[in-house]
Amino acid sequence: MPKSFDYVIEHMEEDDEQTKALPRWVELEYAHMLTLIGPSSRLRFTSLSASSIPALRSSLAHHPESGKAHAHTEPIMSLVDTSSSASASASAPASSTDKIAFSRVCLLDPRATKVLAPEDAEIFDCFLYGGILGDDPPRDRTAELRKLGFEGRHLGPKQMTTDTAVGVTKKVVEDGIELDEIPYIDFPTISFNKKESIEMPFRYVSDDKGEPILPPGMKEHLKADLDRTIDEF
């Protein structure tokens, strides 16, 4: 039976000022992650505001993989057991009530000295991300997690969207694919029509047509955002 993993997103993005829920683009990335991780793995969102959780659950309710998602207002450390016995454990990932051994958590950190590799599947049960990391230029919000002392791995020199980082991690640790064997496209231009386009300042995994793999609904959301921006001028 394939090993299952916990993918934990320590939420760092501000709620929408009007709705007090997650911005729409964040919801789209979070929903996309459900399709990217393995069938027996889990996706955990930590440090969410209490007001954002009902809307997130509602947006994921009809997703065929919604059972993989767990939303928490508590931060990552509430899921981690820092006792020495837990740190030495190589047990399976935590259930909804069990905690994750500290030493089995890998922080995906652009400043880590080691690259994520297939053999890390035997070292870690949980992969932790600071989300959303979609800043241009990056603000190193991962620093808030780095100071907690988790062992880190990086995913290469280019900044990825958080859903892309989750999908790449899955390919490496669950599918055994080396990081440099995954097809990427950097800073792609998303075209809406002959006159309108937008360049995305991130690295994406590319599909078999050489197009960036975006969350379902993201292109439409970007177009609507662009139209709103034009209307404001």
Side-chain angles (χ1 to χ4, degrees), residues 6-23:
D6 281 305
Y7 296 85
V8 180
I9 313 301
E10 179 83 349
H11 183 75
M12 296 179 174
E13 195 71 27
E14 296 294 330
D15 288 349
D16 183 281
E17 291 184 2
Q18 295 182 335
T19 65
K20 305 302 180 185
L22 302 181

Side-chain angles (χ1 to χ4, degrees), residues 21-170:
L22 302 181
R24 179 58 179 159
W25 66 274
V26 175
E27 286 188 348
L28 292 173
E29 285 200 16
Y30 283 1
H32 192 209
M33 294 173 189
L34 289 171
T35 68
L36 299 176
I37 65 175
S40 61
S41 292
R42 287 174 289 271
L43 184 62
R44 297 178 182 273
F45 303 107
T46 53
S47 290
L48 292 168
S49 69
S51 63
S52 71
I53 289 180
L56 176 62
R57 286 177 174 160
S58 177
S59 73
L60 299 179
H62 300 294
H63 195 291
E65 307 286 347
S66 61
K68 297 178 183 178
H70 303 270
H72 308 267
T73 55
E74 298 85 0
I76 174 60
M77 291 307 293
S78 69
L79 304 181
V80 175
D81 191 333
T82 57
S83 68
S84 58
S85 59
S87 298
S89 172
S91 60
S95 69
S96 58
T97 55
D98 295 334
K99 290 196 173 185
I100 305 164
F102 182 89
S103 66
R104 306 290 292 181
V105 179
C106 174
L107 173 64
L108 277 299
D109 182 358
R111 298 190 181 184
T113 58
K114 293 182 179 180
V115 65
L116 187 72
E119 52 266 30
D120 286 319
E122 302 302 319
I123 300 173
F124 302 109
D125 297 322
C126 174
F127 296 91
L128 172 63
Y129 310 79
I132 293 291
L133 300 182
D135 294 319
D136 181 36
R139 286 189 282 163
D140 190 29
R141 286 191 279 183
T142 306
E144 298 177 32
L145 298 174
R146 189 181 302 125
K147 65 186 180 183
L148 298 175
F150 295 114
E151 189 169 348
R153 297 288 188 271
H154 69 82
L155 296 174
K158 305 289 186 181
Q159 186 187 20
M160 301 176 180
T161 60
T162 310
D163 60 314
T164 301
V166 169
V168 166
T169 302
K170 185 267 182 183

Side-chain angles (χ1 to χ4, degrees), residues 118 168 171-172 175-184 205-206:
V168 166
K171 287 179 179 294
V172 174
D175 301 337
I177 302 173
E178 296 287 348
L179 192 68
D180 60 4
E181 294 177 357
I182 299 170
Y184 302 108
V205 174
S206 63

